[in-house]
């Protein structure tokens, strides 16, 4: 899959992960080897030999030297190496694979226009993984992908996906897992096939010779027997040896000290606390204990926790002395994970009541500094949900509760919020969570409470973000309750509030505007304001924003597809719906966003083409999506498709029952009502009750052209041709209705002509309908027409037009012109405008669109418009076919 058509950006362009945060570049960098690092040639040789197998497992306990060994080996390779340090947050498949894709891109293994990385934190589509595997399988030389600290990955789904990519990448991928634990992979199969190289704890253990060399690098010189004894006692554990060396060099008798040292896990913990911290100032020890609550920290953040101002100096000294503190770059640090774990345990023992307060100090500093995700995490860990909710709302990030990118994580984070959180922001978060799960009573109740609190608060610039968040939730509530006036009011309020907010904050969260516009447009569509809805939906669908707006963009594309379908353009609707589904798949979304409106439209088009089996499959897929029973538009769309499918399957009673959308809305939808009325009427007609069928059509008018032509068909079948003519005369086409309308209207008029004895007119109208329907493969109108059309379709010219797509016969290649003889030319008169003829004449001379534009003194777009019109009239899709068809008809 290549880049999108401009509706989104790849991770390389957006520079953010699926959560909307910048990629942490330190996770892609090979860890630097300290001056005291010992290169062990025997292990490098083994790793080089491992390149013969697709999978290498470097498995050992914490501090076994796995990471530095693998980094030293990778640094000397001539193959591209993608390095990724796995973190706990990577258990979400979308986050993990986004980082894998970015690591491959950074090492030059992937082109800039390759398949995109996932946009949804919670999942990744199978097609995206298959695309990656196929791309890797095409490489002449393998890409080495190193996943360091893979033991942090506990999600079986990610393990299955990783095994899939490895299996299908063939020789193009060599995977190296650096881990403390047995990975969730079918290792027995790889062992049986001799496709696995394992470097485990026993091999990672230092030999006495290696241990002696390591000690000497630390300035500790021991005789051979003492070194062997230390290796025996530490079992050759790299971190234990290094810790021992660091402590021993401070001792007046290193040999005796090391002889007394015992190297089990608890002893090492005691050693870290008692010996590494020994000699440190009280300020240094206090600093390390307090920053142990943080994943990463900088001097200013550390100062906020210690309430001092000496952190920068102390952290620099600790790093310089390799005291288990790592520099991440840009003045940020993190503790060695084992060291941090031990320090946190010691913090709870020494200062049992301090941990919550430290989290809150961190949250307040992080909020002032603009680090929203960490602010939320520490605010929740400290139990101050008013602080966390306030940060989310003030940052205009409340839309992230709906976009699918971090919705589940945020909902989980706020799940512990109790009644003590009483701020307007806390109620807004509660309202958002409730509305997202379609709990309207709870959501609206919390929203009203937040609005009341805000109205009682003194005006200040800081309230604009909260009130804009209210407007977003109001728009969603209006959409879900089918209340367009409330949606319009929310949009107007939001527009006013935007003036009071800084541009950088609005630009930071494009999802808020995209969501609000989608909600308002959906309400307009429900009300039947198609043009107004289309204008805004088009803006959302083509808006930038990368992964942050991928879900509202895709949902807007689905709504646009429905608008095309309701306007009688099944082919255009199909293309938009396919684009919506493809956009979700390109972004790595595991399932269609929202209610899967794109798939509903595809099912509707399949029904029009009488492909009932595929239509049922698509409907079943949408039924498995998350419930959206309170969303009127997709609910009505599903009722429309299902009722038509049942009607065409001969289940008239079931169709009539399914026609009414099971949704309660404040405003009646004209198109939903009209489509339901037509299906119920058709069901009555099929049941032999024409009078009842006609009565049910009351209220169906020309403002719904597709329904109007179907209603006209029923009127004619019920013996009311005059009523049918009035319906067709009331259709407000204005050049914007599609083939479904023109085909249906032509067939109605053809039946009236046939029954009045004007067979020639009937034949011309049926021929025109066949030409319009053939390009769209519209079969339903002809199958609904009744027995009267059969004799006409059996005549030679009409049979040829129907052959291969409507009637049995030789399938016609896509774009192949219909052979034209004298009868057909007379039967289907084609009228081209003078400008269309001018364009076709130049096209026949093999002129390009640019050359034609220059010759006629018009724009290229004007030329393309005339070509499209000529193609439609000539029932072709390509330039050469248009010229041949025009010549056959004597137009050139």
């Amino acid at each position: 899959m290549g880049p999108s058509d401009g509706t989104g950006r790849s991770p390389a362009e957006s520079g953010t992960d699926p959560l909307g945060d910048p990629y942490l570049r330190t996770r892609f960098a090979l860890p630097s080897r300290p001056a005291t690092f010992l290169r062990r040639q025997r292990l490098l040789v083994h790793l080089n030999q491992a390149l013969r197998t697709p999978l290498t497992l470097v498995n050992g306990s914490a501090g076994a030297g796995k990471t530095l060994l693998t980094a030293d080996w990778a640094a000397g390779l001539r193959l591209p190496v993608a390095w990724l340090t796995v973190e706990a947050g990577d258990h979400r498949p979308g986050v993990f694979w986004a980082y894998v894709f970015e690591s491959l891109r950074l090492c030059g293994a992937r082109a800039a226009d390759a398949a995109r990385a996932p946009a949804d934190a919670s999942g990744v589509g199978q097609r995206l993984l298959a695309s990656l595997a196929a791309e890797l399988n095409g490489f002449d030389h393998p890409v080495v992908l190193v996943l360091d600290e893979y033991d942090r990955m506990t999600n079986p789904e990610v393990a299955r996906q990783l095994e899939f990519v490895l299996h299908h990448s063939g020789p193009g991928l060599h995977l190296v897992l650096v881990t403390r634990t047995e990975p969730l992979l079918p290792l027995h199969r790889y062992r049986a096939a001799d496709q696995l190289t394992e470097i485990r704890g026993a091999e990672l253990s230092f030999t006495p010779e290696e241990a002696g060399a390591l000690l000497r690098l630390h300035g500790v010189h021991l005789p051979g027997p003492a070194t062997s004894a230390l290796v025996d006692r530490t079992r050759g554990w790299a971190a234990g040896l290094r810790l021992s060396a660091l402590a021993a060099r401070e001792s007046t008798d290193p040999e005796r000290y090391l002889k007394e040292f015992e190297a089990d896990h608890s002893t090492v913990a005691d050693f870290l606390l008692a010996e590494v911290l020994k000699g440190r100032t009280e300020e240094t020890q206090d600093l390390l204990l307090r920053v142990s609550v943080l994943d990463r920290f900088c001097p200013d953040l550390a100062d906020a926790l210690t309430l001092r101002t000496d952190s920068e100096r102390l952290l620099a000294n600790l790093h310089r002395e390799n005291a288990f503190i790592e520099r991440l770059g840009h003045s940020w640090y993190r503790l060695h994970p084992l060291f941090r774990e031990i320090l946190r345990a010691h913090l709870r023992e020494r200062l049992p009541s301090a941990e919550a307060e430290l989290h809150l100090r961190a949250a307040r500093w992080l909020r002032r500094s603009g680090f929203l995700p960490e602010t939320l995490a520490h605010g929740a860990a400290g139990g101050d949900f008013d602080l966390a909710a306030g940060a989310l709302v003030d940052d205009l990030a409340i839309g992230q509760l709906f976009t699918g990118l971090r919705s589940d994580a945020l909902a989980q984070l706020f799940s512990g919020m109790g009644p003590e959180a009483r701020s307007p922001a806390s109620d807004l978060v509660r309202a958002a969570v409730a509305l997202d799960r379609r709990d309207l009573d709870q959501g609206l109740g919390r929203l009203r409470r937040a609005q009341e609190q805000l109205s009682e608060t003194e005006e200040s610039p800081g309230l604009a973000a909260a009130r804009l968040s209210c407007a977003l939730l109001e728009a969603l509530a209006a959409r879900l309750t089918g209340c367009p006036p409330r949606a319009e009011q929310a949009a107007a309020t939001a527009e006013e509030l935007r003036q009071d907010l800084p541009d950088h904050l609005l630009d930071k969260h494009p999802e808020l505007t995209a969501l609000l516009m989608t909600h308002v447009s959906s309400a307009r569509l429900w009300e039947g304001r198609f043009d107004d809805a289309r204008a805004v939906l088009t803006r959302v669908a083509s808006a930038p924003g990368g992964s942050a707006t991928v879900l509202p963009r895709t949902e807007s594309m689905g709504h646009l597809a429905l608008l095309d379908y309701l306007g009688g353009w099944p082919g255009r609707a199909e293309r938009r719906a396919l684009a919506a589904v493809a956009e979700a798949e390109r972004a790595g979304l595991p399932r269609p966003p929202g209610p899967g409106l794109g798939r509903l439209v595809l099912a509707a088009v399949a029904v029009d083409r009488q492909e009932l089996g595929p239509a049922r499959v698509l409907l079943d897929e949408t039924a498995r999506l998350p419930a959206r029973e309170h969303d009127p538009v997709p609910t009505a769309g599903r009722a429309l498709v299902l009722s038509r499918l049942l009607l065409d399957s001969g289940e008239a009673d079931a169709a009539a029952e399914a026609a009414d959308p099971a949704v309660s809305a404040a405003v009646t939808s004209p198109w939903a009502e009209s489509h339901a009325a037509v299906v119920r009427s058709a069901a009555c007609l099929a049941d032999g009750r024409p009078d009842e069928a006609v009565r049910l059509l009351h209220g169906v008018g020309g403002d719904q052209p597709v329904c109007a032509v179907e209603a006209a068909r029923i009127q004619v079948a019920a013996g009311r041709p005059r009523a049918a003519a009035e319906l067709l005369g009331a259709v407000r086409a204005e050049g914007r209705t599609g083939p479904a309308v023109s085909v249906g209207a032509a067939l109605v008029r053809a039946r009236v002509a046939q029954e009045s004895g004007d067979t020639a007119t009937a034949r011309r109208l049926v021929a025109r309908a066949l030409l319009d329907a053939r390009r769209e493969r519209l079969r339903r109108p002809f199958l609904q027409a009744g027995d009267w059309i059969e004799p006409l379709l059996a005549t030679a010219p009409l049979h040829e037009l129907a052959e291969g797509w409507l009637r049995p016969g030789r399938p016609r290649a896509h774009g192949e012109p219909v052979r034209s003889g004298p009868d057909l030319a007379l039967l289907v008169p084609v009228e081209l405008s003078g400008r269309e003829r001018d364009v076709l004449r130049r096209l026949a001379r093999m002129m390009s669109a640019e050359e034609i534009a220059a010759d006629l003194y018009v724009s290229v777009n004007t030329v393309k418009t005339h070509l499209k019109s000529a193609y439609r009239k000539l029932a072709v899709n390509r330039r050469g076919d248009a010229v041949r068809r025009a010549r056959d008809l004597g137009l050139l």
Side-chain angles (χ1 to χ4, degrees):
M1 294 178 291
S4 77
D5 57 3
T7 59
R9 295 181 296 171
S10 68
E13 296 169 328
S14 65
T16 58
D17 65 17
L19 300 179
D21 298 325
Y23 283 108
L24 298 176
R25 298 297 168 185
T26 51
R27 295 182 58 187
F28 306 120
L30 272 71
S32 59
R33 278 75 70 203
T36 53
F37 173 74
L38 177 69
R39 176 170 292 161
R40 296 190 279 169
Q41 195 62 34
R42 64 181 176 88
L43 294 177
L44 296 180
V45 170
H46 196 175
L47 284 169
N48 284 329
Q49 293 171 344
L51 289 171
R52 300 170 185 171
T53 62
L55 176 62
T56 296
L57 185 66
V58 183
N59 191 339
S61 59
K66 309 177 296 296
T67 296
L68 292 181
L69 163 68
T70 309
D72 187 49
W73 167 72
L77 287 177
R78 295 184 179 180
L79 298 170
V81 176
W83 184 282
L84 174 60
T85 300
V86 178
E87 292 191 347
D90 293 348
H91 69 276
R92 290 164 290 195
V95 175
F96 171 80
W97 284 105
Y99 267 88
V100 169
F101 274 60
E102 184 68 358
S103 68
L104 291 168
R105 187 187 69 82
L106 289 174
C107 79
R110 306 194 73 238
D113 59 348
R116 299 176 180 198
D120 180 12
S122 63
V124 61
Q126 186 74 4
R127 181 175 295 183
L128 191 64
L129 298 179
S131 176
L132 173 63
E135 182 183 353
L136 293 171
N137 195 25
F139 289 172
D140 295 329
H141 301 288
V143 176
V144 178
L145 173 60
V146 180
L147 299 179
D148 188 28
E149 300 190 32
Y150 187 72
D151 47 278
R152 296 178 176 179
M153 177 52 65
T154 58
N155 189 338
E157 182 182 359
V158 171
R160 288 192 296 270
Q161 293 168 346
L162 186 62
E163 200 275 331
F164 170 85
V165 171
L166 177 62
H167 176 72
H168 292 284
S169 296
L173 175 65
H174 180 78
L175 178 63
V176 181
L177 300 181
V178 184
T179 177
R180 298 182 190 180
T181 60
E182 198 81 346
L184 297 173
L185 289 173
L187 297 181
H188 61 283
R189 293 211 305 262
Y190 286 93
R191 291 191 188 103
D194 196 24
Q195 293 184 324
L196 171 65
T197 300
E198 299 179 75
I199 299 177
R200 292 186 172 269
E203 190 174 355
L204 289 169
S205 297
F206 275 64
T207 66
E209 293 75 18
E210 291 169 344
L214 180 66
L215 291 169
R216 288 191 293 274
L217 285 172
H218 286 78
V220 177
H221 299 269
L222 294 181
T227 302
S228 296
L230 178 62
V231 170
D232 288 340
R233 293 186 180 122
T234 61
R235 298 182 297 277
W237 183 42
L241 289 169
R242 184 165 183 268
L243 289 173
S244 301
L246 288 170
R249 69 184 182 185
E250 303 297 328
S251 174
T252 56
D253 189 350
E255 182 175 351
R256 181 178 179 180
Y257 179 87
L258 292 173
K259 186 176 181 179
E260 297 173 353
F261 175 68
E262 294 182 8
D264 60 70
H265 186 81
S266 61
T267 304
V268 172
D270 292 341
F271 178 83
L272 279 167
L273 294 172
E275 298 297 337
V276 175
L277 294 182
K278 184 179 180 180
R280 304 286 179 192
T281 64
E282 183 177 339
E283 290 80 8
T284 300
Q285 294 188 41
D286 181 69
L287 169 70
L288 289 171
L289 286 172
R290 292 174 183 273
V291 299
S292 68
V293 302
L294 301 167
D295 291 326
R296 62 186 185 118
F297 47 89
C298 65
D300 287 345
L301 176 53
D303 282 342
L305 269 60
T306 63
L307 302 180
R308 301 196 308 270
T309 59
D310 56 358
S311 297
E312 184 171 11
R313 174 179 58 83
L314 296 177
L315 291 173
N317 289 338
L318 287 167
H319 179 262
R320 186 166 53 252
E321 296 168 13
N322 294 317
F324 299 93
I325 182 171
E326 304 172 24
R327 178 174 284 162
L328 300 176
H330 303 289
S331 298
W332 284 86
Y333 298 87
R334 68 179 175 189
L335 293 171
H336 183 283
L338 180 60
F339 191 30
R340 180 191 176 207
E341 181 182 338
I342 295 168
L343 287 171
R344 289 192 71 175
H346 194 59
L347 172 68
R348 295 187 185 107
E349 292 179 6
R350 184 185 294 186
L351 302 170
S353 61
E355 190 168 1
E357 176 58 28
L358 290 172
H359 278 298
L360 292 181
R361 290 182 191 177
R364 287 190 284 268
W365 184 92
L366 290 162
R367 182 179 183 181
R368 290 194 303 270
S369 302
F371 296 98
L372 180 63
E374 291 161 298
T375 299
L376 301 179
H378 286 288
D384 191 341
F385 286 96
D386 281 336
L387 184 155
L392 186 77
V393 171
D394 288 349
D395 198 67
L396 281 186
I398 199 167
Q400 293 181 358
L401 284 162
F402 303 101
T403 61
L405 305 183
R406 61 197 318 168
S407 307
D408 292 342
L410 285 174
Q412 180 63 33
L413 186 145
F414 284 103
S415 63
M417 183 164 54
E420 68 280 357
R422 303 176 61 85
S423 68
S426 295
D427 277 324
L428 282 173
V429 170
R430 291 187 181 102
V433 172
L435 289 173
D436 187 51
R437 64 172 183 260
R438 299 320 193 231
D439 184 346
L440 291 177
D441 291 339
Q442 177 76 2
L444 288 171
R446 290 294 183 178
L447 178 57
R448 296 294 171 258
R449 178 172 170 175
Q451 290 170 328
E452 289 170 4
Q453 292 183 74
L454 289 172
S455 66
E456 296 169 359
T457 305
E458 186 177 346
E459 285 293 334
S460 69
L463 293 180
R467 288 181 171 145
L468 184 54
S469 298
C470 284
L472 171 65
L473 300 186
E474 278 284 3
L476 174 56
R479 168 184 174 175
L480 299 180
T481 56
C483 187
R486 183 193 295 177
E488 297 295 344
Q489 181 59 51
T493 301
E495 187 59 34
E496 293 178 6
L497 291 169
R498 287 172 62 91
Q499 312 305 316
D500 299 328
L501 288 163
D503 290 340
H504 73 86
L505 192 58
L506 293 166
D507 294 341
K508 182 180 178 182
H509 292 291
E511 73 278 356
L512 188 141
T513 300
L515 286 166
L516 193 147
M517 293 168 66
T518 303
H519 299 332
V520 173
S521 299
S522 184
R524 290 175 178 175
L525 193 160
W526 174 252
E527 193 179 18
R529 295 166 55 194
F530 290 171
D531 290 343
D532 292 340
R534 185 186 300 277
V536 179
L537 289 168
T538 302
R539 288 170 53 197
V540 178
S542 59
S547 61
T549 59
V550 65
L551 291 183
R553 283 202 317 269
T554 308
E555 194 170 44
S556 292
M557 292 165 69
H559 279 73
L560 286 169
L562 179 61
L563 282 171
D564 284 334
Y565 181 80
L566 295 175
W569 297 92
R572 185 187 298 174
E574 179 187 44
R575 289 190 292 274
R576 285 194 191 273
L578 287 172
V581 173
E583 175 77 2
E585 291 175 347
R586 279 196 298 267
L589 300 179
R591 61 184 62 86
L597 196 52
R599 278 176 164 75
L600 281 175
V601 172
L602 291 176
V605 173
V607 171
D608 279 0
R609 292 171 177 169
Q610 291 299 282
E611 297 165 353
L612 302 186
R616 289 186 185 274
V617 171
L618 287 162
L619 274 177
D620 289 343
E621 288 181 3
T622 63
R624 292 192 294 269
L625 296 176
R628 288 295 185 263
E629 62 276 8
H630 286 292
D631 199 338
V633 168
T635 302
R638 180 173 176 80
L640 185 160
V641 181
L642 179 58
S643 61
R644 287 186 168 206
L645 176 61
L646 291 170
L647 186 65
D648 292 356
S649 300
E651 302 177 55
D653 291 342
E657 185 178 349
D660 287 310
V663 63
S664 175
V667 171
T668 299
S669 173
W671 60 268
E673 288 290 312
S674 293
H675 279 277
V678 167
V679 170
R680 289 194 301 268
S681 175
C684 284
L685 187 66
D687 199 31
R689 293 178 288 150
D691 293 340
E692 177 68 9
V694 169
R695 186 187 67 79
L696 289 172
L697 293 176
H698 178 72
V700 177
D703 54 340
Q704 300 295 325
V706 171
C707 295
V709 296
E710 292 196 16
R713 177 187 65 81
I714 295 172
Q715 293 278 15
V716 171
R720 295 166 56 93
R722 182 172 298 178
E726 291 176 357
L727 265 175
L728 294 182
V731 170
R732 295 198 295 270
E734 300 174 1
R736 289 178 292 181
T737 56
V741 176
S742 63
V743 170
L747 290 179
V748 170
R749 293 187 174 103
R751 180 170 185 175
V752 172
Q754 177 76 350
E755 291 179 352
S756 66
D758 189 354
T759 302
T761 298
R763 289 176 63 204
R764 281 196 296 272
L765 288 167
V766 172
R768 171 53 60 195
L770 286 167
L771 276 174
D772 286 346
R774 184 172 65 90
R775 294 180 64 185
E776 302 275 357
R777 304 198 309 280
L778 270 176
R779 299 182 179 92
R780 189 170 190 262
F782 296 93
L783 298 180
Q784 285 184 317
D787 295 339
W788 68 270
I789 200 172
E790 289 299 322
L792 294 177
L793 292 178
T795 60
L798 296 183
H799 179 78
E800 182 173 349
L801 285 173
E803 183 184 10
W805 69 276
L806 180 61
R807 309 279 288 185
R810 177 182 64 84
R812 196 181 311 281
H814 183 68
E816 179 183 348
V818 178
R819 295 190 305 274
S820 175
D823 290 342
L824 186 58
L826 292 173
L827 184 64
V828 190
V830 175
E831 296 181 3
L832 296 178
S833 69
R835 186 58 82 183
E836 288 166 353
R837 290 172 185 262
D838 290 340
V839 170
L840 282 176
R841 289 189 188 99
R842 286 159 178 77
L843 203 64
R845 300 202 297 266
M846 304 300 291
M847 294 174 65
S848 67
E850 290 77 10
E851 291 170 334
I852 295 173
D855 196 41
L856 294 177
Y857 299 99
V858 296
S859 70
V860 174
N861 284 337
T862 299
V863 171
K864 292 179 178 179
T865 299
H866 289 311
L867 280 175
K868 288 180 181 178
S869 177
Y871 288 174
R872 180 182 59 81
K873 292 178 180 180
L874 295 168
V876 296
N877 292 311
R878 294 182 296 190
R879 297 160 63 101
D881 293 339
V883 172
R884 284 191 294 273
R885 173 83 169 126
R887 283 174 173 161
D888 288 343
L889 294 174
L891 301 175
L892 293 181

